[in-house]
Amino acid sequence: YLTLFFKLDSGLIGTTFFILFKKLFILRVHKIKIKIFHSAKFKLLFKQREANVNGTVHDLKAPLNGVITLLGFLRNKQTDTSVQTLMDGIVRQAKNLVSDIESLLVTARRDRQQLHLQKKRTDLVQLVAQARESLSSQYIGKPHCIRVECEETEMMAEVDALYVTNVLRNLMENALKYSDDGVEIIVRLRKEASRLCLEVEDNGWGIERKYHKKIFDQFFQVPSEHEVRRRGYGVGLAFAYYIMEAHGGCIRVKSEPGKGSTFTCVFPIK
C-alpha cells in the first residue's frame, strides 16, 4: 500500500511536511510575540514598581532629617549631661538610619545613575572607631567584642567618608547579626605597597564557598534552613561592592561555615 501511495502522488509527502512546518513556524512566531509582549509589560511594571519604591524610600529621609534637627535643638536646651548623652545616642542612631536609606538608594540606582564621590583625605582609623562606637551601643543587648588592630596611629586615604563609613558599618553589623552571642570581631588596618587593606574578621556562622560571589549581588540572601537567620535584605554587601569599585578598589571574602568570615576592603593609596 505504501508503494501504491507513493506512486499515486510522489509529491504528497513533501507537500504535507511543508504545510506542517509552515503551521509550526507560524505557531512558534505567535508564541514568541506573546513572550515579547509579556516581557515588555513585565519590564514596564518592574520599572514603575522600582520608581515607586525609590520615591518612597527617598521621602523617608526628609522627616528623619527633621527629627535629627529637632533633637539637636532640644539637646542644646538640656543642662543634664545624662539626658544629653542619651539624646546624642538617639541622634546617632537616626543618622545611621538615614545612611542606611542612602545606601539602599545608591545601590538601586547604580545601573542608571553615576555615583559622584566626595573624596577627601580621611583617617580610616577614625572611621572604624566611629562605626565601632555606634554598633556597640546599638547591639548593647548582645554579648560581643570588637577589637581594632592597626600598625599605625592613623591610616590616611582619599575616600568618601560617608560611603566608606556605611561600608564599615555594614560589614561589622553583618558580623554581629549572623553570629551567636559572644561573637568576636577583629578589624585590621594595614598598608601593602600602594594600597591600604581593611579586614573585618569574625567567628560567626560563615558562608558556603558556592555563595561567595553571589552575596555581592543586589537582594541576594544566603539560603538557610533557619528562618531566624534571615535578618537582612541583601543590600549591604551589594552596596559595599559598588562603593569599593567606585573608589578604584575591591572587596573580597574568605569564609567557611562554622569558622566565620573575613571581608577585606582594598583601597588604593594616592
Side-chain angles (χ1 to χ4, degrees):
Y1 287 105
L2 285 174
T3 304
L4 178 62
F5 177 75
F6 279 111
K7 285 182 178 180
L8 288 174
D9 191 352
S10 60
L12 181 61
I13 301 297
T15 303
T16 303
F17 272 107
F18 174 76
I19 294 172
L20 288 173
F21 176 77
K22 182 179 179 180
K23 287 184 177 181
L24 288 172
F25 178 76
I26 292 173
L27 182 62
R28 180 63 177 169
V29 170
H30 181 64
K31 286 183 177 180
I32 292 173
K33 286 182 178 179
I34 292 175
K35 286 182 179 180
I36 292 174
F37 171 76
H38 286 295
S39 177
K41 187 177 181 180
F42 174 78
K43 287 181 180 179
L44 178 61
L45 290 173
F46 181 78
K47 286 183 179 179
Q48 290 175 346
R49 187 190 71 171
E50 187 180 30
N52 290 334
V53 171
N54 289 343
T56 302
V57 172
H58 184 271
D59 290 342
L60 289 173
K61 292 177 65 178
L64 278 172
N65 286 325
V67 168
I68 291 171
T69 302
L70 179 59
L71 284 171
F73 174 78
L74 294 175
R75 190 264 186 205
N76 292 333
K77 294 291 184 179
Q78 286 289 333
T79 56
D80 189 334
T81 55
S82 61
V83 175
Q84 288 180 343
T85 302
L86 178 61
M87 296 187 75
D88 286 340
I90 297 173
V91 170
R92 188 163 52 248
Q93 295 305 324
K95 287 182 177 179
N96 289 340
L97 185 54
V98 172
S99 296
D100 290 340
I101 292 172
E102 181 66 21
S103 300
L104 181 60
L105 288 173
V106 167
T107 308
R109 294 171 178 170
R110 63 173 299 178
D111 295 326
R112 307 188 315 275
Q113 185 173 323
Q114 184 178 2
L115 181 65
H116 298 285
L117 299 176
Q118 302 294 326
K119 286 186 178 182
K120 64 179 182 179
R121 193 163 175 78
T122 306
D123 183 9
L124 294 187
V125 176
Q126 279 192 342
L127 296 188
V128 170
Q130 292 170 5
R132 180 176 64 172
E133 180 183 1
S134 172
L135 291 170
S136 292
S137 60
Q138 183 178 344
Y139 285 83
I140 193 170
K142 176 171 182 172
H144 68 274
C145 174
I146 302 177
R147 189 169 76 251
V148 180
E149 297 180 358
C150 186
E151 299 172 348
E152 303 177 21
T153 56
E154 63 178 26
M155 289 280 188
M156 306 301 295
E158 291 286 332
V159 300
D160 186 306
L162 174 63
Y163 288 143
V164 172
T165 299
N166 285 354
V167 170
L168 290 173
R169 285 188 62 250
N170 279 325
L171 296 179
M172 295 167 69
E173 187 169 14
N174 281 348
L176 284 165
K177 287 193 297 186
Y178 303 106
S179 60
D180 297 322
D181 288 349
V183 59
E184 294 183 4
I185 303 168
I186 303 174
V187 183
R188 297 187 183 91
L189 287 156
R190 66 176 186 276
K191 289 181 180 178
E192 292 182 356
S194 60
R195 59 184 188 175
L196 191 153
C197 296
L198 186 152
E199 288 182 355
V200 178
E201 178 185 340
D202 66 70
N203 59 347
W205 297 335
I207 305 166
E208 290 185 65
R209 186 177 182 83
K210 63 182 178 181
Y211 299 124
H212 285 189
K213 289 184 179 180
K214 293 182 180 180
I215 57 175
F216 297 108
D217 294 340
Q218 189 175 357
F219 302 127
F220 178 81
Q221 292 178 284
V222 177
S224 174
E225 297 178 358
H226 306 287
E227 195 64 27
V228 68
R229 295 193 177 192
R230 300 178 67 84
R231 300 176 180 177
Y233 301 97
V235 176
L237 290 178
F239 171 80
Y241 186 92
Y242 182 35
I243 295 303
M244 291 307 303
E245 190 179 57
H247 278 82
C250 65
I251 180 172
R252 55 179 181 260
V253 61
K254 180 180 179 183
S255 183
E256 189 176 339
K259 295 186 177 180
S261 305
T262 301
F263 285 86
T264 304
C265 297
V266 181
F267 298 88
I269 300 177
K270 296 182 180 179

